[in-house]
Amino acid sequence: MRDFRSERVCKIPPSGIRKFFDIAQEMEDVISLGVGEPDYDTPWNVREAAIRSIEQGQTAYTSNSGLIELRQEIKKYLSDSYGISYDPKKEIVVTTGASEALDISIRAVVDSGDEVLVADPSYIAYTSNVMLAGGVPVLVPCLEKDEFKLTPDSLMEKITKKSKILLCNFPNNPTGGVMTKEDYKGIADIVTDHDLLLISDEIYSELTYEGEKASAASVDDLWERTITINGFSKAYSMTGWRVGYICAPETICSAVLKIHQYVMLSAPTTAQYAAVEALRNGADACREMVSEYKIRRNLFVNGLNRAGLKTHMPNGAFYAFPNIIEYGISDEEFAERLLKEHHVAVVPGSVFGPAGVGHLRCSYAVSREDLMTAVGRIEQFVSDL
Ligand code: PMP
């Protein structure tokens, strides 16, 4: 019998994070800093809105683009928070998480052989999404010395005649790096001069700790060539609800919608009602969670630095990205030994791309108590090295 698997699927690597979860699950007394999701329950008013929608029998498909009241709330949120304007009827599509938003955006714009510039290190799905669409990922390093931002120089170095798209995510998973509006302005001319499309995954935008939160499309020349992706998983602790969205100029948005209507029909209806409530009445809960993440960030990052792990103070998301190069072992080995010998699970930075080599991704979306215990164990481990 022949191998029925497609060449594209055979080429994509398995997720490097899985291996560590599998080991951690077999062990007792493990503190996991490995998972990329909030540790809060979804705010109660949001859950109630979902229950109410079920009680009222709102159980059918919604319009392909999503509930119009949700798209109107998304429009209002983006306009109030970032000063960007999208037409809810033509320029917004509600998706099954930012995950679907990323996949269908990429498939709507990538042709075989197109080069997609990907800010490196990156969320693990990006290079696979690009390859499954037939594109070629070209990694653009975002280095610690630049506060893990995307700089004009590193971008310029990777642009070729085949470059078509720039895919980036700030605040960033895994580094916690953030781009300000000024930073986006710094790359806007390059994007425009080289006629690129920007796909900007802003799923962590609410989790910005100092200074103003920024959206790439708020830089004037970028709006018409940007797909803005966002969602509810991180800001409102709604990972299991599976709801996100895409905003883009009409031509691009209608191309994305074509794929969405064939693969998904519509995002989950109950989750869309919950999302409406999150945007209407969820700001306080979001603010409370963000202020707690900030306290944890300060505790944890200062703790890591005291323990001997050089760690840049991240300005967004809920990840710290300590540098372990001075210890002379690979990030893989460091993470594996830390887990097996001291029962702390973190993710090796190399899983997220070559620019992540020599780092660890540690999520601080866990209790303060667990964070401090983890710091103690890490300190013990590095003092033994
Ligand atoms: N983008 C980034 C950068 C992420 O970290 C994640 C989730 N870890 C996603 C997208 C997917 O989010 P969602 O739950 O909305 O699919």
Side-chain angles (χ1 to χ4, degrees), residues 36 97-99 102 123 126 169 173 201 203-204 233-234 242 319:
S99 303
L102 281 160
Y123 178 47
Y126 287 0
N169 156 237
N173 174 6
D201 174 356
I203 185 98
Y204 293 98
S233 288
K234 317 291 172 174
R242 313 309 306 127
Y319 306 105

Side-chain angles (χ1 to χ4, degrees), residues 3-12 131-132:
D3 184 349
F4 290 103
R5 297 171 304 167
S6 71
E7 272 176 38
R8 282 182 185 173
V9 97
C10 289
K11 267 196 212 144
I12 62 171
M131 286 161 77
L132 284 169

Side-chain angles (χ1 to χ4, degrees), residues 213-384:
K213 52 191 182 188
S215 179
S218 67
V219 173
D220 294 340
D221 293 345
L222 288 182
W223 186 92
E224 60 185 10
R225 49 177 72 246
T226 297
I227 301 181
T228 302
I229 292 177
N230 210 320
F232 297 84
S233 288
K234 317 291 172 174
Y236 305 98
S237 206
M238 288 177 69
T239 47
W241 297 79
R242 313 309 306 127
V243 56
Y245 53 90
I246 291 169
C247 304
E250 187 178 353
T251 322
I252 296 171
C253 204
S254 57
V256 168
L257 183 60
K258 255 197 217 170
I259 309 181
H260 175 71
Q261 66 194 9
Y262 291 131
V263 301
M264 208 57 71
L265 279 173
S266 61
T269 301
T270 314
Q272 291 191 56
Y273 280 103
V276 170
E277 175 65 14
L279 285 177
R280 283 189 186 153
N281 298 307
D284 287 348
C286 172
R287 247 192 312 275
E288 272 170 38
M289 292 189 269
V290 173
S291 75
E292 172 62 22
Y293 291 139
K294 187 175 174 183
I295 294 170
R296 294 176 187 178
R297 174 197 73 156
N298 294 345
L299 264 178
F300 184 56
V301 172
N302 292 334
L304 286 177
N305 278 306
R306 273 197 307 274
L309 255 55
K310 199 169 118 287
T311 309
H312 167 73
M313 184 59 83
N315 194 24
F318 40 55
Y319 306 105
F321 206 55
N323 183 327
I324 53 112
I325 287 171
E326 68 185 274
Y327 291 101
I329 57 173
S330 72
D331 51 23
E332 281 257 337
E333 185 183 342
F334 193 109
E336 198 161 339
R337 285 184 54 191
L338 181 62
L339 176 58
K340 288 185 174 156
E341 296 167 24
H342 292 268
H343 297 198
V344 178
V346 298
V347 184
S350 52
V351 160
F352 304 95
V357 169
H359 292 263
L360 306 170
R361 188 193 77 173
C362 310
S363 164
Y364 51 86
V366 299
S367 71
R368 296 185 203 181
E369 194 188 349
D370 277 359
L371 285 174
M372 293 328 289
T373 311
V375 167
R377 293 182 187 181
I378 291 168
E379 187 165 20
Q380 182 70 50
F381 177 54
V382 295
S383 69
D384 293 348

